[in-house]
Amino acid sequence: MPDPSSLRDSTQIVLPRRALDGHRECLEARFTVTVVETAEQYRIIGSPVEIKAASDYLTRNGVAVA
């Protein structure tokens, strides 16, 4: 049985709110993801394939993805 935290890590990216400045609209248009806002952060949720592609896109555009 897979570890739940590893599944969660493969289906979401959590970033501070300022990290997506100027990237959110393109991210939502380009990938099949849901962006959930809270007061301090964004959670980008999607399939493992979409999260990997979105992570690569963000990294190429200077956003640090842990």
Side-chain angles (χ1 to χ4, degrees):
M1 181 108 198
D3 178 32
S5 65
S6 69
L7 292 175
R8 186 174 45 251
D9 291 344
S10 69
T11 60
Q12 75 175 358
I13 301 168
V14 179
L15 297 171
R17 285 188 58 92
R18 294 176 54 208
L20 277 187
D21 288 348
H23 298 287
R24 181 178 177 171
E25 292 78 20
C26 187
L27 187 70
E28 290 178 309
R30 194 170 225 197
F31 304 100
T32 306
V33 295
T34 302
V35 179
V36 178
E37 291 183 55
T38 66
E40 296 98 25
Q41 63 189 13
Y42 284 111
R43 286 180 50 223
I44 304 165
I45 303 166
S47 72
V49 171
E50 289 294 301
I51 289 300
K52 173 72 172 129
S55 177
D56 291 345
Y57 167 81
L58 290 170
T59 302
R60 282 192 312 270
N61 285 282
V63 177
V65 178

